Amino acid sequence: MDGRQAGFLDRVRQLLAPGGTFWVVTEIAGRREAGDPLQHLGISSAETEILTAGWSVVRTADLDVLRCYALRP
């Protein structure tokens, strides 16, 4: 993620309806087996910090190689 993504997340927080939840579903880096052609996909620890910064409530659920984030302002 870079400054554009952080700016996007700030804008989402501003536009989200009161009491609303922003859902993000993404792969987790390093969850695929070696040799899998999609092994390069996934969110890193540093990107996770950017994604979850600035939210008052962060809940996650892991589904195999995916992680679901429920983010509330």
Side-chain angles (χ1 to χ4, degrees):
M1 288 189 162
D2 60 27
R4 290 175 296 158
Q5 285 92 351
F8 168 77
L9 293 169
D10 287 340
R11 187 71 175 140
V12 169
R13 274 191 290 277
Q14 293 170 3
L15 295 174
L16 198 60
T21 301
F22 179 53
W23 289 91
V24 177
V25 179
T26 186
E27 284 213 24
I28 305 167
R31 287 279 176 104
R32 291 186 177 263
E33 293 184 20
D36 186 317
L38 300 177
Q39 186 180 21
H40 66 283
L41 295 178
I43 190 170
S44 69
S45 298
E47 292 168 328
T48 297
E49 288 183 34
I50 293 169
L51 174 64
T52 58
W55 300 93
S56 64
V57 177
V58 175
R59 295 211 165 97
T60 63
D62 288 359
L63 306 167
D64 193 27
V65 299
L66 299 177
R67 179 166 289 155
C68 301
Y69 294 87
L71 308 169
R72 298 187 78 181

